[in-house]
Amino acid sequence: MMTKVNTMLLVALALLVSSYSQADTQKPNIVIIYADDLGVGDVSAYQMGKLQTPNIDEIANQGLKFNQGYATAATCTPSRYSLLTGQYPWRKNAKILPGDAPLLIDPAQETLPKMLKRAGYRTGIVGKWHLGLGHGQVDWNQTIALGPNQVGFDYSYIMAATNDRVPNVYLENGAVIGLEPDDPLYVSYQKNFANQPTGLDNPELMTKMKFSNGHFHSINNGIPRIGYQTGGKKAQWRDEDMSDLFLAKATEFIDAQVVPTVTLKNQNQPFFLFYSLHQPHVPRVPHQRFAGSSGLGPRGDAILEADWAIGRLIKHLAQQGLARNTLVIFSSDNGPVLDDGYQDQAVSKNGEHTPWGIYRGGKYSLFDAGAHVPLLASWPGTIEANSESEQLFSQLDLLASLSALTQQPVSNNDTLDSENHLSTLLGKSAKGRKALVVQALGGRTAYREQSWLFIPAYWGDEKLAKEDIETGACSCYQLYDLANDPGQQTNLADKYPEKTKAMKAAYMRIMATANLKASE
């Protein structure tokens, strides 16, 4: 017969479990949703393009839309490095990495997940990584000792690089998923393996996507990639399933933080999830459910697939009672590109859609559309719904801002470029970042200060012919007033020589600290 004490304990336990919503947790959960190659005009909340993204828009409807939101670079690896480390990518000479590159982040340096772990968070990353693994010469058949788990993430389920680069496998906490011992995986970016087909030599095997340029090495799932791989056949991914799989792993991570443990310890432990999408990066091969859904070809379909997945994740947070105590931040690693190496009709089916919005350039470019990206933040009850900000805010500042939110100091603060703009992130302040250095393809940089953008003189191609994107390179200085000329049609460098001189001097002062901070 159950005693009165036991009954009371069971009732208390039941109430604790059933009412668990983290609503009274002091520190909010934090979810960063990071798209890949998504432009401002691709998000319908910005009212610049033709696509409709209702689930992404809902983040804006419930919170804050930044009209001056920036990545630190117009390419993916540098932007991701800055978001996670709070340091400019050019301090690390961060550029687009091959799939077998060593870990770019020093395990000894400060990172966003490390800081949040010290603040009591459970940390996880699901999706694209592209920041290197191991020390180089990775043995894919063993657990890799250097990766996301060594720079602050408790849990990781990732692709090593990008969906167009080998290896085409998933790794969970450093180990390749589904790898069979009698079929080891080998990867090379120098030469092909014996008797392995490529897009150049075996075009008949490109059954799902053909290359337009650059993507003509090993073929997996009927699609040619960058780099060579052999073996690991059972571990190779199927592109169509990638979005569903990453969504499932993201929700599993959330659920693991919600279900009370047997000992009821750490029940109110907040979590940080970096949900790193692969869309709409090439190759764009969404699930069959979304094929043809946008009318804009595979690129548009991939964006709608991503929008759907984001909606499911947001809905899941609400179903778990976590919505009111979760800060959701949505952004992209860089601006948009149409033809990025595959024959996927991105150009021919784009129609009147403008992924770059009203801005000039795109991915790879020093012009504004290279790093000017969608940036949204919601936290019901804390961030005012349907609000907008004209303040300059960079992903670079998430480390310092979330440090202030969680009241957890960052280490090695003197080596960081991250600034605390928490009040701006929460829509409580009309004061944003004053200045920002942005990086483009090849490590070229430009300087933004208030509404002015200064581009130093650079020799080189003024346009990437195959991608049809202006690089921003010019043998002259360029100065633009983005407040009055957001499309950067008028170079004011000659008209305002003193302003040009002042902007150049400010830019040079910042760049002169590169070697100093990198060595500290």
Side-chain angles (χ1 to χ4, degrees), residues 81 85-88 90-91 108-111 118 396 399-400 403 409-419 510 512-520:
Y81 175 83
T85 66
Q87 191 176 72
Y88 278 124
W90 39 268
R91 299 197 188 282
Q109 75 185 98
E110 179 68 295
T111 66
R118 295 197 305 272
L396 181 68
L399 175 57
S403 167
V410 294
S411 62
N412 303 321
N413 193 39
D414 57 342
T415 69
L416 301 180
D417 300 294
S418 186
E419 297 177 1
I510 294 176
T513 66
N515 292 333
L516 176 63
K517 283 199 172 187
S519 63
E520 288 178 344

Side-chain angles (χ1 to χ4, degrees), residues 76-123:
C76 51
T77 295
S79 292
R80 292 163 189 274
Y81 175 83
S82 292
L83 186 150
L84 292 178
T85 66
Q87 191 176 72
Y88 278 124
W90 39 268
R91 299 197 188 282
K92 189 75 171 184
N93 195 28
K95 299 177 182 179
I96 301 173
L97 295 179
D100 61 349
L103 180 63
L104 182 64
I105 300 173
D106 187 335
Q109 75 185 98
E110 179 68 295
T111 66
L112 177 59
K114 275 187 183 180
M115 181 275 293
L116 291 175
K117 278 188 70 171
R118 295 197 305 272
Y121 281 70
R122 176 79 175 168
T123 60

Side-chain angles (χ1 to χ4, degrees), residues 190-321:
Q190 283 72 48
K191 62 179 182 179
N192 195 15
F193 298 94
N195 302 316
Q196 293 302 305
T198 67
L200 283 177
D201 298 330
N202 304 90
E204 75 281 359
L205 298 180
M206 297 187 293
T207 56
K208 292 184 179 179
M209 190 80 69
K210 293 180 172 60
F211 67 87
S212 60
N213 64 280
H215 299 75
F216 42 68
H217 297 147
S218 289
I219 299 171
N220 171 50
N221 192 32
I223 303 167
R225 317 284 171 156
I226 299 174
Y228 305 102
Q229 61 185 4
T230 185
K233 292 299 182 182
K234 290 290 182 67
Q236 304 288 324
W237 68 50
R238 181 176 179 269
D239 300 71
E240 295 90 333
D241 301 328
M242 188 175 290
S243 183
D244 286 352
L245 178 60
F246 285 158
L247 174 62
K249 292 300 178 180
T251 55
E252 286 174 13
F253 174 80
I254 292 170
D255 292 346
Q257 317 315 312
V258 173
V259 177
T261 62
V262 175
T263 61
L264 300 181
K265 290 182 179 179
N266 299 322
Q267 231 191 111
N268 290 322
Q269 183 181 19
F271 63 83
F272 164 54
L273 171 63
F274 187 30
Y275 182 36
S276 184
L277 308 178
H278 67 285
Q279 301 106 324
H281 195 284
V282 295
R284 298 147 182 158
V285 191
H287 193 275
Q288 294 91 328
R289 301 191 309 274
F290 298 94
S293 60
S294 69
L296 300 181
R299 183 178 186 275
D301 299 346
I303 293 172
L304 296 191
E305 178 185 55
D307 181 71
W308 174 85
I310 291 167
R312 298 287 293 186
L313 186 78
I314 299 298
K315 182 178 180 181
H316 192 78
L317 288 169
Q319 290 172 338
Q320 293 287 25

Side-chain angles (χ1 to χ4, degrees), residues 35-227:
D36 196 345
D37 296 354
L38 191 76
V40 172
D42 288 321
V43 176
S44 50
Y46 285 91
Q47 300 180 348
M48 295 182 187
K50 298 298 183 182
L51 275 174
Q52 295 300 311
T53 53
N55 295 299
I56 298 173
D57 291 357
E58 190 59 23
I59 301 174
N61 296 339
Q62 294 182 5
L64 177 64
K65 178 178 70 174
F66 282 92
N67 293 321
Q68 298 295 324
Y70 281 80
T72 58
T75 54
C76 51
T77 295
S79 292
R80 292 163 189 274
Y81 175 83
S82 292
L83 186 150
L84 292 178
T85 66
Q87 191 176 72
Y88 278 124
W90 39 268
R91 299 197 188 282
K92 189 75 171 184
N93 195 28
K95 299 177 182 179
I96 301 173
L97 295 179
D100 61 349
L103 180 63
L104 182 64
I105 300 173
D106 187 335
Q109 75 185 98
E110 179 68 295
T111 66
L112 177 59
K114 275 187 183 180
M115 181 275 293
L116 291 175
K117 278 188 70 171
R118 295 197 305 272
Y121 281 70
R122 176 79 175 168
T123 60
I125 176 173
V126 172
K128 176 178 174 176
W129 176 238
H130 207 188
L131 288 164
L133 296 168
H135 294 287
Q137 302 298 319
V138 172
D139 183 353
W140 301 98
N141 304 289
Q142 304 292 329
T143 299
I144 300 170
L146 280 177
N149 299 75
Q150 285 68 49
V151 297
F153 288 105
D154 295 307
Y155 175 76
S156 65
Y157 193 100
I158 62 168
M159 68 165 88
T162 57
N163 33 330
D164 63 339
R165 286 175 172 81
V166 300
N168 301 150
V169 296
Y170 303 113
L171 297 97
E172 188 171 34
N173 295 325
V176 174
I177 300 298
L179 194 61
E180 297 180 325
D182 59 351
D183 185 24
L185 172 66
Y186 299 99
V187 172
S188 173
Y189 276 75
Q190 283 72 48
K191 62 179 182 179
N192 195 15
F193 298 94
N195 302 316
Q196 293 302 305
T198 67
L200 283 177
D201 298 330
N202 304 90
E204 75 281 359
L205 298 180
M206 297 187 293
T207 56
K208 292 184 179 179
M209 190 80 69
K210 293 180 172 60
F211 67 87
S212 60
N213 64 280
H215 299 75
F216 42 68
H217 297 147
S218 289
I219 299 171
N220 171 50
N221 192 32
I223 303 167
R225 317 284 171 156
I226 299 174

